[in-house]
Amino acid sequence: MNPKEGGIMHTFINGIKVFFKGNLSAQPLIFIHGFPFDHTLWDNVIEQLKDDCYCISYDIRGFGSSEVGHGQYTMEGYVDDLEAVISQLGLQEVILCGFSMGGYIALRANQRLQNFKALILANTTTTGDNDEAKLKRAKAIYNIEQDGVKPFLDNFFTAAFTQNYRQEHQDKIAILREKILAFNPLGIKGALLAMISRTDTTRSLLEQAPPTLLIGASHDTIIAPKTMKDLASKIKNSHYVELQNSGHVSMLEEPEEFVEALKSFLIMHPLKENKNK
Ligand code: MLT
């Protein structure tokens, strides 16, 4: 394990770059970013939870500093990567926090591994793509092949962030944009393939949901908040929080409210004691 710039520890597990913050003896909490971002999406959230939890984030295969490999990804492969991270770090009673595509991974992991202490699902859904969405993603893969990632990303950002946020945080958007444009397009196209072929996890979640926090956002045009609210109403041990002023990328648009929702949820569930606190 090597210290990283900014004092964050990291390691590689099966080609996946994994980052840690907080005390090893504390409650493990794994953060899974969405498409087409990297682990830094969680930086602010982790900074505010690191005194209570052992916070682990990683770059999904094909994004950030993780290996890209063949680019023929599936949700199963992404869950294999997550499983390797959990087992190689020897983590138990993990809380999983997944945003959007990271939520798809968390939901399939919950179905497959069945041993999570709690789930935090932000701006995500249990349903698979309908035909229209599949065709849209197929077209996106073709377009990225023809014209590169830039036009695709411009459209994605328009959908993913509110106009307010894009106008008020042009600097942050520009940094994020440059970062993503430096990723290997194979990783981005591979993630689109993985999302097209993902399965529906609704039934498994309803049958075996650990305590679950669902966070929706009123202005999310990618995952409608109603989808999350309806899902929450069917899960026995669940809490739903709707952030009122943000679009899809809610932990960036409403960081304080997002962290507040997590903290309130974590307080309700007994965490592993942080011996060094
Ligand atoms: C994400 O933010 O991870 C993606 O927008 C999810 C999706 O396109 O379904």
Tab-separated table of all heavy atoms in Angstrom, residues 48-83:
chain	number	residue	atom	x	y	z
A	48	GLN	N	-16.149	13.902	5.176
A	48	GLN	CA	-17.037	14.181	6.305
A	48	GLN	C	-17.482	12.937	7.075
A	48	GLN	O	-18.104	13.056	8.118
A	48	GLN	CB	-18.244	14.968	5.813
A	48	GLN	CG	-17.760	16.312	5.263
A	48	GLN	CD	-18.895	17.193	4.907
A	48	GLN	OE1	-19.691	17.527	5.783
A	48	GLN	NE2	-18.980	17.575	3.648
A	49	LEU	N	-17.162	11.759	6.529
A	49	LEU	CA	-17.561	10.522	7.223
A	49	LEU	C	-16.365	9.750	7.752
A	49	LEU	O	-16.526	8.740	8.438
A	49	LEU	CB	-18.373	9.627	6.286
A	49	LEU	CG	-19.769	10.119	5.923
A	49	LEU	CD1	-20.427	9.173	4.941
A	49	LEU	CD2	-20.644	10.261	7.162
A	50	LYS	N	-15.168	10.221	7.436
A	50	LYS	CA	-13.971	9.433	7.743
A	50	LYS	C	-13.712	9.263	9.249
A	50	LYS	O	-13.001	8.355	9.646
A	50	LYS	CB	-12.740	10.025	7.060
A	50	LYS	CG	-12.304	11.367	7.620
A	50	LYS	CD	-11.061	11.841	6.902
A	50	LYS	CE	-10.395	13.037	7.504
A	50	LYS	NZ	-11.180	14.118	8.023
A	51	ASP	N	-14.325	10.126	10.082
A	51	ASP	CA	-14.125	9.959	11.524
A	51	ASP	C	-15.036	8.876	12.100
A	51	ASP	O	-14.792	8.373	13.190
A	51	ASP	CB	-14.385	11.288	12.256
A	51	ASP	CG	-13.333	12.317	11.881
A	51	ASP	OD1	-12.229	11.901	11.478
A	51	ASP	OD2	-13.625	13.521	11.966
A	52	ASP	N	-16.100	8.549	11.375
A	52	ASP	CA	-17.039	7.542	11.873
A	52	ASP	C	-16.907	6.197	11.176
A	52	ASP	O	-17.289	5.174	11.728
A	52	ASP	CB	-18.489	8.031	11.676
A	52	ASP	CG	-18.735	9.311	12.445
A	52	ASP	OD1	-18.381	9.336	13.642
A	52	ASP	OD2	-19.224	10.285	11.851
A	53	CYS	N	-16.432	6.224	9.931
A	53	CYS	CA	-16.400	4.999	9.142
A	53	CYS	C	-15.031	4.791	8.498
A	53	CYS	O	-14.283	5.742	8.302
A	53	CYS	CB	-17.438	5.065	8.013
A	53	CYS	SG	-19.124	5.131	8.605
A	54	TYR	N	-14.748	3.543	8.179
A	54	TYR	CA	-13.576	3.229	7.370
A	54	TYR	C	-14.059	3.328	5.912
A	54	TYR	O	-14.799	2.470	5.445
A	54	TYR	CB	-13.091	1.823	7.710
A	54	TYR	CG	-11.869	1.377	6.961
A	54	TYR	CD1	-10.776	2.227	6.794
A	54	TYR	CD2	-11.782	0.087	6.434
A	54	TYR	CE1	-9.641	1.804	6.112
A	54	TYR	CE2	-10.647	-0.334	5.758
A	54	TYR	CZ	-9.590	0.531	5.600
A	54	TYR	OH	-8.469	0.114	4.930
A	55	CYS	N	-13.711	4.431	5.254
A	55	CYS	CA	-14.287	4.742	3.942
A	55	CYS	C	-13.397	4.211	2.819
A	55	CYS	O	-12.213	4.552	2.737
A	55	CYS	CB	-14.440	6.251	3.781
A	55	CYS	SG	-15.589	6.965	4.971
A	56	ILE	N	-13.990	3.415	1.970
A	56	ILE	CA	-13.254	2.829	0.852
A	56	ILE	C	-13.931	3.279	-0.433
A	56	ILE	O	-15.157	3.199	-0.561
A	56	ILE	CB	-13.292	1.281	0.939
A	56	ILE	CG1	-12.639	0.823	2.250
A	56	ILE	CG2	-12.598	0.631	-0.251
A	56	ILE	CD1	-13.519	-0.045	3.059
A	57	SER	N	-13.143	3.774	-1.369
A	57	SER	CA	-13.702	4.086	-2.683
A	57	SER	C	-12.774	3.467	-3.720
A	57	SER	O	-11.638	3.109	-3.393
A	57	SER	CB	-13.825	5.595	-2.895
A	57	SER	OG	-12.576	6.219	-2.740
A	58	TYR	N	-13.257	3.318	-4.923
A	58	TYR	CA	-12.383	2.756	-5.959
A	58	TYR	C	-12.833	3.246	-7.321
A	58	TYR	O	-13.952	3.735	-7.488
A	58	TYR	CB	-12.351	1.216	-5.887
A	58	TYR	CG	-13.656	0.505	-6.203
A	58	TYR	CD1	-13.919	0.027	-7.501
A	58	TYR	CD2	-14.633	0.301	-5.221
A	58	TYR	CE1	-15.106	-0.632	-7.801
A	58	TYR	CE2	-15.817	-0.356	-5.517
A	58	TYR	CZ	-16.043	-0.824	-6.805
A	58	TYR	OH	-17.228	-1.471	-7.096
A	59	ASP	N	-11.915	3.132	-8.269
A	59	ASP	CA	-12.273	3.461	-9.649
A	59	ASP	C	-12.805	2.193	-10.314
A	59	ASP	O	-12.093	1.175	-10.377
A	59	ASP	CB	-11.036	3.967	-10.424
A	59	ASP	CG	-10.596	5.350	-9.953
A	59	ASP	OD1	-11.429	6.083	-9.383
A	59	ASP	OD2	-9.424	5.697	-10.179
A	60	ILE	N	-14.024	2.254	-10.794
A	60	ILE	CA	-14.597	1.113	-11.511
A	60	ILE	C	-13.706	0.811	-12.718
A	60	ILE	O	-13.139	1.732	-13.332
A	60	ILE	CB	-16.039	1.463	-11.966
A	60	ILE	CG1	-16.946	1.631	-10.742
A	60	ILE	CG2	-16.604	0.402	-12.910
A	60	ILE	CD1	-18.336	2.168	-11.070
A	61	ARG	N	-13.565	-0.479	-13.044
A	61	ARG	CA	-12.715	-0.883	-14.177
A	61	ARG	C	-13.009	-0.020	-15.408
A	61	ARG	O	-14.163	0.185	-15.772
A	61	ARG	CB	-12.984	-2.363	-14.497
A	61	ARG	CG	-12.021	-2.978	-15.473
A	61	ARG	CD	-12.230	-4.477	-15.560
A	61	ARG	NE	-11.895	-5.163	-14.310
A	61	ARG	CZ	-10.660	-5.503	-13.931
A	61	ARG	NH1	-9.639	-5.256	-14.719
A	61	ARG	NH2	-10.446	-6.111	-12.770
A	62	GLY	N	-11.948	0.496	-16.017
A	62	GLY	CA	-12.118	1.315	-17.223
A	62	GLY	C	-12.219	2.806	-16.937
A	62	GLY	O	-12.230	3.617	-17.862
A	63	PHE	N	-12.298	3.179	-15.644
A	63	PHE	CA	-12.406	4.599	-15.274
A	63	PHE	C	-11.235	4.991	-14.374
A	63	PHE	O	-10.640	4.128	-13.702
A	63	PHE	CB	-13.730	4.872	-14.536
A	63	PHE	CG	-14.931	4.664	-15.421
A	63	PHE	CD1	-15.548	3.433	-15.490
A	63	PHE	CD2	-15.401	5.702	-16.219
A	63	PHE	CE1	-16.643	3.235	-16.321
A	63	PHE	CE2	-16.487	5.510	-17.055
A	63	PHE	CZ	-17.111	4.268	-17.112
A	64	GLY	N	-10.954	6.285	-14.325
A	64	GLY	CA	-9.903	6.781	-13.435
A	64	GLY	C	-8.594	6.048	-13.675
A	64	GLY	O	-8.144	5.913	-14.805
A	65	SER	N	-8.016	5.547	-12.597
A	65	SER	CA	-6.708	4.887	-12.708
A	65	SER	C	-6.795	3.370	-12.726
A	65	SER	O	-5.778	2.695	-12.612
A	65	SER	CB	-5.824	5.294	-11.519
A	65	SER	OG	-5.739	6.686	-11.435
A	66	SER	N	-8.005	2.826	-12.798
A	66	SER	CA	-8.110	1.367	-12.870
A	66	SER	C	-7.805	0.881	-14.283
A	66	SER	O	-7.919	1.638	-15.248
A	66	SER	CB	-9.509	0.905	-12.447
A	66	SER	OG	-9.655	1.048	-11.050
A	67	GLU	N	-7.439	-0.398	-14.362
A	67	GLU	CA	-7.120	-0.954	-15.682
A	67	GLU	C	-8.363	-0.960	-16.580
A	67	GLU	O	-9.483	-1.075	-16.097
A	67	GLU	CB	-6.633	-2.396	-15.520
A	67	GLU	CG	-5.191	-2.483	-15.095
A	67	GLU	CD	-4.749	-3.912	-14.847
A	67	GLU	OE1	-5.504	-4.862	-15.157
A	67	GLU	OE2	-3.635	-4.062	-14.312
A	68	VAL	N	-8.111	-0.863	-17.864
A	68	VAL	CA	-9.214	-0.864	-18.830
A	68	VAL	C	-9.433	-2.281	-19.384
A	68	VAL	O	-10.564	-2.735	-19.523
A	68	VAL	CB	-8.927	0.128	-19.973
A	68	VAL	CG1	-10.033	0.090	-21.014
A	68	VAL	CG2	-8.760	1.537	-19.424
A	69	GLY	N	-8.355	-2.968	-19.687
A	69	GLY	CA	-8.459	-4.346	-20.205
A	69	GLY	C	-9.186	-4.397	-21.532
A	69	GLY	O	-9.048	-3.496	-22.352
A	70	HIS	N	-9.996	-5.434	-21.720
A	70	HIS	CA	-10.647	-5.661	-23.026
A	70	HIS	C	-11.864	-4.761	-23.256
A	70	HIS	O	-12.365	-4.651	-24.368
A	70	HIS	CB	-11.047	-7.131	-23.181
A	70	HIS	CG	-11.798	-7.669	-21.998
A	70	HIS	ND1	-12.952	-7.098	-21.507
A	70	HIS	CD2	-11.550	-8.732	-21.193
A	70	HIS	CE1	-13.396	-7.780	-20.478
A	70	HIS	NE2	-12.550	-8.785	-20.247
A	71	GLY	N	-12.403	-4.162	-22.211
A	71	GLY	CA	-13.533	-3.240	-22.383
A	71	GLY	C	-14.878	-3.923	-22.602
A	71	GLY	O	-15.884	-3.247	-22.790
A	72	GLN	N	-14.913	-5.233	-22.560
A	72	GLN	CA	-16.196	-5.945	-22.764
A	72	GLN	C	-16.810	-6.189	-21.384
A	72	GLN	O	-16.791	-7.304	-20.869
A	72	GLN	CB	-15.967	-7.288	-23.477
A	72	GLN	CG	-15.149	-7.184	-24.747
A	72	GLN	CD	-15.839	-6.322	-25.793
A	72	GLN	OE1	-16.921	-6.645	-26.244
A	72	GLN	NE2	-15.206	-5.222	-26.163
A	73	TYR	N	-17.324	-5.141	-20.779
A	73	TYR	CA	-17.741	-5.256	-19.383
A	73	TYR	C	-19.194	-5.729	-19.244
A	73	TYR	O	-20.029	-5.511	-20.113
A	73	TYR	CB	-17.636	-3.909	-18.659
A	73	TYR	CG	-16.293	-3.217	-18.791
A	73	TYR	CD1	-16.223	-1.833	-18.900
A	73	TYR	CD2	-15.102	-3.941	-18.796
A	73	TYR	CE1	-15.007	-1.183	-18.999
A	73	TYR	CE2	-13.881	-3.298	-18.900
A	73	TYR	CZ	-13.837	-1.922	-19.012
A	73	TYR	OH	-12.645	-1.281	-19.115
A	74	THR	N	-19.419	-6.324	-18.066
A	74	THR	CA	-20.784	-6.681	-17.660
A	74	THR	C	-20.939	-6.256	-16.200
A	74	THR	O	-19.943	-6.044	-15.500
A	74	THR	CB	-21.030	-8.207	-17.729
A	74	THR	OG1	-20.067	-8.844	-16.872
A	74	THR	CG2	-20.898	-8.744	-19.142
A	75	MET	N	-22.186	-6.194	-15.745
A	75	MET	CA	-22.415	-5.878	-14.329
A	75	MET	C	-21.793	-6.998	-13.482
A	75	MET	O	-21.271	-6.744	-12.394
A	75	MET	CB	-23.928	-5.798	-14.092
A	75	MET	CG	-24.436	-4.661	-13.249
A	75	MET	SD	-23.592	-3.078	-13.306
A	75	MET	CE	-24.234	-2.317	-14.769
A	76	GLU	N	-21.841	-8.233	-14.011
A	76	GLU	CA	-21.248	-9.359	-13.276
A	76	GLU	C	-19.762	-9.138	-13.040
A	76	GLU	O	-19.240	-9.394	-11.959
A	76	GLU	CB	-21.443	-10.677	-14.054
A	76	GLU	CG	-22.871	-11.131	-14.146
A	76	GLU	CD	-23.556	-11.117	-12.799
A	76	GLU	OE1	-23.301	-12.021	-11.993
A	76	GLU	OE2	-24.335	-10.171	-12.553
A	77	GLY	N	-19.084	-8.669	-14.084
A	77	GLY	CA	-17.643	-8.409	-13.961
A	77	GLY	C	-17.370	-7.310	-12.946
A	77	GLY	O	-16.437	-7.402	-12.138
A	78	TYR	N	-18.206	-6.277	-12.982
A	78	TYR	CA	-18.034	-5.192	-12.002
A	78	TYR	C	-18.237	-5.726	-10.566
A	78	TYR	O	-17.570	-5.301	-9.631
A	78	TYR	CB	-19.047	-4.065	-12.245
A	78	TYR	CG	-18.811	-3.185	-13.458
A	78	TYR	CD1	-19.890	-2.553	-14.084
A	78	TYR	CD2	-17.530	-2.916	-13.956
A	78	TYR	CE1	-19.710	-1.697	-15.174
A	78	TYR	CE2	-17.345	-2.062	-15.044
A	78	TYR	CZ	-18.439	-1.456	-15.650
A	78	TYR	OH	-18.273	-0.605	-16.719
A	79	VAL	N	-19.212	-6.639	-10.410
A	79	VAL	CA	-19.450	-7.205	-9.064
A	79	VAL	C	-18.281	-8.124	-8.666
A	79	VAL	O	-17.875	-8.156	-7.503
A	79	VAL	CB	-20.819	-7.933	-8.988
A	79	VAL	CG1	-21.003	-8.611	-7.632
A	79	VAL	CG2	-21.956	-6.942	-9.211
A	80	ASP	N	-17.726	-8.832	-9.657
A	80	ASP	CA	-16.523	-9.645	-9.351
A	80	ASP	C	-15.426	-8.744	-8.788
A	80	ASP	O	-14.749	-9.101	-7.824
A	80	ASP	CB	-15.975	-10.321	-10.623
A	80	ASP	CG	-16.899	-11.402	-11.160
A	80	ASP	OD1	-17.770	-11.869	-10.402
A	80	ASP	OD2	-16.736	-11.773	-12.342
A	81	ASP	N	-15.244	-7.580	-9.401
A	81	ASP	CA	-14.213	-6.645	-8.920
A	81	ASP	C	-14.508	-6.202	-7.487
A	81	ASP	O	-13.620	-6.162	-6.636
A	81	ASP	CB	-14.135	-5.404	-9.830
A	81	ASP	CG	-13.514	-5.709	-11.194
A	81	ASP	OD1	-12.741	-6.684	-11.286
A	81	ASP	OD2	-13.796	-4.966	-12.152
A	82	LEU	N	-15.769	-5.867	-7.230
A	82	LEU	CA	-16.157	-5.430	-5.886
A	82	LEU	C	-15.920	-6.563	-4.871
A	82	LEU	O	-15.395	-6.345	-3.774
A	82	LEU	CB	-17.636	-5.005	-5.885
A	82	LEU	CG	-18.266	-4.708	-4.530
A	82	LEU	CD1	-17.596	-3.501	-3.858
A	82	LEU	CD2	-19.773	-4.425	-4.689
A	83	GLU	N	-16.289	-7.770	-5.279
A	83	GLU	CA	-16.120	-8.926	-4.381
A	83	GLU	C	-14.637	-9.132	-4.058
A	83	GLU	O	-14.279	-9.423	-2.918
A	83	GLU	CB	-16.713	-10.172	-5.059
A	83	GLU	CG	-16.926	-11.304	-4.112
A	83	GLU	CD	-17.656	-12.489	-4.737
A	83	GLU	OE1	-17.979	-12.456	-5.951
A	83	GLU	OE2	-17.896	-13.454	-4.007
